[in-house]
Amino acid sequence: MHAIMLKAKLHRAEVTHAVLDYEGSCAIDGEWLDLSGIREYEQIQIYNVDNGERFTTYAIRGEEGSRIISVNGAAAHKAKVGDRVIICAYAHYSEAELANFKPRMLYMAPGNELSHTSNAIPVQVA
């Protein structure tokens, strides 16, 4: 049996570029790709906190240390510079892999400063 699980998340990253006339995809700071485990050309889901848009694209490597989040191509209609987004990647895991499963999550502060990382989401209280 397999399960689709959250593999990685960049929480509340700020869109730095929205480029309509580009081949497509989402450029993400290469350091964040490495830290999160998201691979170049991997499918990602983007959830726009500011306007509610949710869309699928793929990750491309942005310049290391640039703090870039560039939503490109048709997706540029769904996010504008300054919007806060949650970027997620999901993967299939076997029951054996789930025994040690931990997602990689990066939490962003204003200005796309990396606030902290985690491998668990706190329990939501009522």
Side-chain angles (χ1 to χ4, degrees), residues 35-110:
L35 193 56
S36 69
I38 296 173
R39 296 172 174 257
E40 191 169 16
Y41 307 114
E42 183 172 0
Q43 179 177 299
I44 55 175
Q45 299 286 320
I46 300 180
Y47 313 126
N48 189 324
V49 175
D50 293 314
N51 68 17
E53 291 282 358
R54 300 168 70 93
F55 53 97
T56 303
T57 188
Y58 60 93
I60 61 172
R61 190 170 203 87
E63 180 183 1
E64 278 78 2
S66 66
R67 300 182 189 156
I68 190 172
I69 298 291
S70 184
V71 180
N72 301 321
H77 289 288
K78 298 184 176 285
K80 67 181 185 315
V81 172
D83 282 356
R84 293 164 300 153
V85 295
I86 299 168
I87 300 171
C88 295
Y90 299 88
H92 291 265
Y93 294 91
S94 68
E95 286 299 317
E97 291 170 315
L98 288 174
N100 296 311
F101 169 77
K102 298 281 187 206
R104 295 184 193 175
M105 296 178 285
L106 282 58
Y107 292 84
M108 312 312 286

